[in-house]
Amino acid sequence: QVQLVESGGGLVQAGESLRLSCAALGRTFSSYIMGWFRQAPGKEREFVAGIHWRSGNTYYADSVKGRFTISSDNAKNTVHLQMNSLKPEDTAVYYCNVLEYYGSVSPSGSWGQGTQVTVSS
């Protein structure tokens, strides 16, 4: 299995932006559907965004559509999540993972340590 390392989280004010990164160690993403998930305090982990590595096609949860953008950097074997117009309800630990298939919201790999995003009002 591929080992995933998330980074880029932090503390921001509502309306500001953050860019998260997910790097794969040991393998390339070339044959995967990759996704971002998040888990807020007291809530279950939820799907945020997915990307087909080869085609670049993307899909999003309704709660982030129009504000978040998932992208891939083939040369660096990294997946990014650009988060704009952040809201306090976006506060969560963000994780990346492999998705079962394009359009799926179910993870199929191991979880990394995640990266904390905190949005103050």
Side-chain angles (χ1 to χ4, degrees), residues 20-32:
L20 307 183
S21 298
C22 171
L25 303 181
R27 294 187 65 177
T28 65
F29 283 141
S30 62
S31 60
Y32 292 113

Side-chain angles (χ1 to χ4, degrees), residues 8-21:
L11 172 62
V12 298
Q13 294 188 334
E16 294 183 339
S17 299
L18 276 175
R19 187 183 191 224
L20 307 183
S21 298

